[in-house]
């Protein structure tokens, strides 16, 4: 009972605080001129044009209704603004701004803010907001925390409104003439580039396509995991074709006022038509293009209106003008099918995680900007980073350079990059965590357990590094295995081998200390996931055979599967998974028993050295030990 009261009081306070914050932000946004009262200088249009010609202008905020222009100069910051009214009907205005290299923001005008509206809003506005908020919080509390949360919509809109600088209340349409990126800046995405070359060609020679009567896709959807270079590719298309690039992010559409999103889309396309040929890029399109489902809070209505407007605009423009709409998403399966219909985003450009050669190309590209100390073997780094995205790889190079600086060197070495692979993939080395002596021993045995099981398999990936230096990610040590070649198919035996390797750490602890520790938590998680996939997705169990028992929820993000079978079956799946893991565990334990002597020897070695290479490990593993008792004894 008491708990409940406390909770309610806390919610009450939260509610009042949020409402107050919303009110402050709203009053700021609805009457933006108040923000600049002291610092605004009135100028006429020729002054602005002069400043533009001299390329002195930094940002331009342009009200599409009243033709009022607020602008700032480079080097003066956002505090000093100029206001230009009475702009003549100059259709070349957008050109001027873009040519001057200034950032252009169009403001979609607020509703008529006459005096009575002012009163209505100041008097009833807070009231309405309070009521709505109360209702929203109530609804949120009823819903179990964390399910498809409307709070996301809310905070999104909130953040959008609070975003700083000019154009607080308007659409942020970013136009730039020269994006400074071409296909040369995108490495390893050859197929994606190939299919986008056609778009470039279309933008360069629209008449050629017109003459023959060919219809080009109006839109292309770049689909792939985060960090693979989708945004980069879209910019590169504009850069290659030398056309303006209008970009807007889907998350910015999610706003509080119904109708604003749709107005932004209208405005975006209006500007694009003026500047055609050009690229319109909609990043994170899944935020507005989610599958429409009936019934919902106003957030959904808003999204739906925005989506409808986008569809209307895409159907409406004259394709021969040369507007190509590119969009990016990492959740293609959640998109509304209407977006994928012919004449809209009917072309899909997969932007996948790079393979070995792709990774090497990306590393090479990014290492060009860094001073390096030869010899550098980027192939080795590419080999050690399967599953890394382009952004990860760019990060690895940068972290390597940072490490060189930290160590007071002028050039980055191979060691820097190798270390940064671990930083990016396993978290920073955590020098401050001090393990007790006993803990260090346990971790040594645990890691060598993994390594020995891996090494005893005939064609497993070789162990390349073992360390017991803790990482900030929380891992106390780890054993790195690197495949010789890129692998696309995995056999059942290989999956079983991998499971045994996962079990090797815990098995070693049990064998030597007769005790379990929490250190195996991550291994257990990985092993369970793998075993479950064997049963539900790979058809690798005798019990179920080739029966799909689950669907992958999001192919690009985490491969999480949800079961699609009867509850009774789910129970049996659990049993099979349990059995598979038990068998893997038993096999790992058996291997370690047979190699107990090596386990001791190697664990002591690791304990002393903390980090050992794959070669050191293999040499010791193969070495005849002079003190080893004759065979058969263990
Ligand atoms: P996405 O939009 O797919 O999430 P981005 O285009 O924003 O990914 O990529 C982020 C950064 O990662 C880029 O700015 C670039 O530095 C780097 N990057 C990603 N993919 C590549 C690639 N294929 N070639 C070169 N750099 C890349
Ligand atoms: Mg992106
Ligand atoms: Zn482990």
């Amino acid at each position: 009972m008491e708990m409940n009261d406390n909770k309610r009081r806390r919610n009450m306070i939260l509610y009042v605080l949020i409402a107050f914050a919303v009110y402050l932000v709203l009053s700021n946004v609805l009457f933006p001129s108040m923000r600049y009262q002291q610092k605004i200088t009135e100028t006429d249009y020729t002054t602005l044009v002069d400043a533009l010609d001299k390329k002195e202008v930094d940002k331009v905020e342009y009200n599409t209704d009243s033709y009022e222009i607020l602008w700032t100069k480079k080097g003066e910051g956002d505090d000093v603004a100029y206001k230009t009214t009475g702009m003549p009907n100059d259709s070349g205005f957008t050109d001027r701004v873009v040519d001057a290299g200034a950032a252009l923001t169009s403001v979609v005008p607020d509703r008529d803010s006459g005096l009575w509206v002012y009163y209505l809003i100041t008097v009833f506005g807070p009231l309405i907001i309070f009521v709505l908020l109360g209702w929203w919080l109530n609804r949120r509390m009823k819903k179990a925390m964390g399910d498809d949360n409307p709070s996301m919509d809310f905070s999104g809109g909130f953040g959008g409104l609070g975003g700083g600088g000019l154009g607080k209340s308007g659409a942020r349409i970013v136009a730039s003439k020269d994006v400074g990126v071409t296909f040369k800046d995108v490495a390893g995405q050859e197929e994606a580039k190939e299919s986008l070359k056609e778009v470039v060609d279309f933008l360069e020679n629209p008449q050629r396509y017109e003459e023959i009567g060919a219809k080009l896709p109006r839109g292309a959807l770049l689909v792939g995991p985060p960090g693979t270079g989708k945004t980069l590719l879209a910019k590169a298309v504009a850069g290659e074709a030398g056309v303006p690039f209008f970009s807007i992010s889907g998350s910015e559409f999610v706003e509080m006022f119904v109708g604003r999103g749709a107005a932004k889309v209208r405005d975006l396309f209006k500007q694009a038509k003026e500047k055609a040929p050009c690229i319109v890029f909609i990043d994170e399109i899944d935020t507005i293009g989610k599958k429409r489902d009936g019934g919902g809070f106003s957030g959904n209505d808003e999204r739906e209106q925005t989506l409808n407007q986008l569809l209307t605009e895409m159907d409406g423009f004259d394709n021969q003008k040369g507007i190509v709409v590119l969009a990016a998403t990492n959740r293609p399966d959640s998109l509304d099918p209407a977006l994928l219909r012919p004449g809209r985003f009917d072309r899909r450009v997969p932007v996948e995680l790079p393979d070995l050669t792709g990774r090497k190309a990306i590393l090479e590209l990014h290492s060009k900007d860094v001073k390096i100390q030869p010899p550098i073997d980027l192939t080795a780094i590419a080999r050690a980073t399967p599953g890394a995205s382009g952004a990860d790889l760019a990060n690895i190079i940068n972290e390597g350079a940072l490490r060189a600086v930290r160590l007071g060197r002028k050039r980055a070495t191979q060691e820097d990059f190798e270390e940064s692979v671990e930083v990016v993939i396993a978290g920073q080395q955590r020098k401050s965590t001090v393990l007790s002596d006993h803990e260090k021993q346990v971790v040594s045995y645990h890691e060598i357990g993994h390594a020995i099981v891996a090494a005893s398999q005939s064609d497993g990936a070789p162990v390349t590094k073992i360390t017991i230096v803790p990482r900030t990610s929380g891992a106390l040590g780890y054993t790195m295995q690197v495949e010789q070649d890129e692998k696309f198919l995995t056999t059942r035996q290989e999956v079983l081998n991998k499971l045994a390797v996962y079990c090797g750490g815990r098995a070693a602890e049990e064998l030597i200390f007769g005790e379990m520790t929490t250190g195996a938590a991550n291994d257990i998680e990985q092993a369970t996931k793998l075993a479950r996939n064997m049963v539900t997705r790979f058809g690798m169990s005798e019990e179920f055979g080739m029966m799909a028992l689950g669907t992958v929820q999001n192919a690009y993000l985490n491969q999480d599967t949800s079961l699609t079978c009867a509850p009774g079956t789910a129970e049996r799946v659990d049993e099979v998974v349990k059995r598979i893991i038990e068998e893997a565990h038993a096999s790992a334990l058996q291997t370690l028993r047979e190699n107990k002597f090596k386990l001791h020897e190697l664990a002591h070695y690791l304990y002393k050295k903390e980090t050992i290479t794959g070669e050191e490990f293999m040499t010791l593993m193969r070495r005849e030990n002079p003190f080893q008792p004759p065979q058969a004894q263990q």
Side-chain angles (χ1 to χ4, degrees), residues 7 9 19 116 124 129 142 179 185 216 367 381 425 443 456 477 505 539 551 577 587 601 617 620:
K7 218 170 165 183
R9 196 169 321 136
W116 65 274
F124 290 107
I129 290 163
K142 273 187 202 150
V179 289
D185 301 298
L216 247 105
S367 63
I381 297 179
I425 288 171
V443 179
S456 66
T551 47
V577 169
S587 124
E601 188 188 345
F617 171 76
L620 280 180

Side-chain angles (χ1 to χ4, degrees), residues 251-326:
S251 55
E252 291 171 45
F253 279 121
V254 184
E255 281 226 349
M256 278 176 93
F257 297 121
V258 177
R260 292 290 295 273
K264 278 184 192 177
V265 173
R266 212 175 305 130
D267 193 54
L268 175 64
F269 278 87
K270 190 176 148 215
Q271 289 192 38
K273 275 176 213 157
E274 281 171 18
K275 293 287 298 174
C278 66
I279 296 274
V280 174
F281 178 58
I282 303 172
D283 211 350
E284 300 171 55
I285 195 173
D286 42 281
T287 30
I288 43 167
K290 259 194 213 132
K291 281 193 185 97
R292 285 170 286 194
D293 44 12
F297 190 45
S298 67
N300 284 335
D301 289 350
E302 165 66 358
R303 189 182 294 135
E304 199 159 315
Q305 280 196 19
T306 310
L307 176 58
N308 283 336
Q309 187 64 38
L310 179 64
L311 296 177
T312 316
E313 293 289 347
M314 285 196 73
D315 291 343
F317 67 72
D318 175 7
N319 201 22
Q320 307 303 357
K321 277 221 175 109
I323 300 176
V324 173
V325 188
L326 297 178

Side-chain angles (χ1 to χ4, degrees), residues 446-447 450 505 519 523:
H446 178 109
E447 296 306 331
H450 285 305
D523 299 333

Side-chain angles (χ1 to χ4, degrees), residues 335-402:
L335 283 186
D336 197 297
L339 273 172
L340 307 173
R341 232 166 267 150
R344 291 165 186 167
F345 295 104
D346 45 6
R347 182 168 290 201
R348 236 179 215 242
V349 181
V351 188
E352 299 289 354
L353 287 173
D355 60 5
L356 184 60
T357 33
R359 289 200 298 275
K360 185 161 174 239
I362 295 173
L363 286 168
E364 266 163 7
L365 184 79
H366 284 274
S367 63
K368 281 212 186 86
D369 306 333
V370 174
K371 283 213 179 100
I372 47 178
Q373 176 73 55
I376 295 280
D377 182 6
L378 291 178
T379 314
I381 297 179
R383 197 168 271 142
T385 46
S389 69
D392 291 335
L393 295 168
N395 201 4
I396 283 171
I397 294 292
N398 194 44
E399 285 287 339
L402 290 179

Side-chain angles (χ1 to χ4, degrees), residues 6 59 114 239 250 291 404 444 460 488-489 525 559 607 612 631:
N6 255 339
K59 294 182 201 160
K291 281 193 185 97
S444 302
F488 299 103
L489 285 175
E525 198 182 318
Q559 294 267 340
Y607 173 83
I612 60 179
Q631 284 296 307

